[in-house]
Amino acid sequence: MSKKLIAVLSFVTGALAGGTGMYLFTKHKYEQQMAKETEDLKGYYERYYKVVIDDLEGRIALMQRDKDSEKDLPTVKKDNKKPIKAKVKKEDPVEVRKEEYAKIVQTDYAGISTQKKTKKKKAEVQHDGPYQIQYEEYEADRKHDKMIITYIAQDDMLVGEDLEPIEDGMDWIGRDNLDVDFKNDEDTVYVRNDSRGEDYEIVIDVTHTYDTFLQDSVNA
């Protein structure tokens, strides 16, 4: 056999062997891929049918429950005919939950909270005229204008910060608000007049007349 023929036969034999090996390898990979896809598809349908079956079983259970509850319903006789079952409206559990949730959501918690706070809030007293207040109220307030007034008890006179008499001052402060129990020769009361928007610091002087008050004020 010539060397050329041997080489040709060797090439053909190698090609056949290589082709056979590639075919077997490709076939094996294809079979593996098909097996994997088949297993995935099988798992998908198993899960799908499980959901369907669970849903169907649930529906059957509900139907059986409704059927059992109808057995316990009272019967109503109409004339002398065969008793008939009283019809009762079936309630959807989902709708019942929706209604309960809606009631909770519609509850006016803000209104309830406001009512509680309103009850605790101290009612404001309405005053028709000037009235006495505490020193702390006088100092803390920023809504009313402040004015210092001296009441000369011996002359029954009100004097302003400019040392001039205030002719209608009693209408501003209210004579009743000057009725205090003195601890010293001088005492101070605080009066608020909402209609004028003013707070008064009233120094009550029982030792001076207006003239001696002026003299002491000028010499001070």
Side-chain angles (χ1 to χ4, degrees), residues 64-81:
Q64 184 63 40
R65 184 196 66 183
D66 294 342
K67 185 176 180 181
D68 293 339
S69 62
E70 287 180 356
K71 294 179 181 179
D72 300 329
L73 292 177
T75 57
V76 180
K77 291 185 177 181
K78 188 175 181 181
D79 299 331
N80 295 323
K81 296 181 180 179

Side-chain angles (χ1 to χ4, degrees), residues 143-156:
K143 297 180 180 179
H144 298 77
D145 295 330
K146 309 298 180 183
M147 184 182 299
I148 300 176
I149 297 176
T150 302
Y151 173 62
I152 309 299
Q154 292 190 30
D155 293 336
D156 192 27

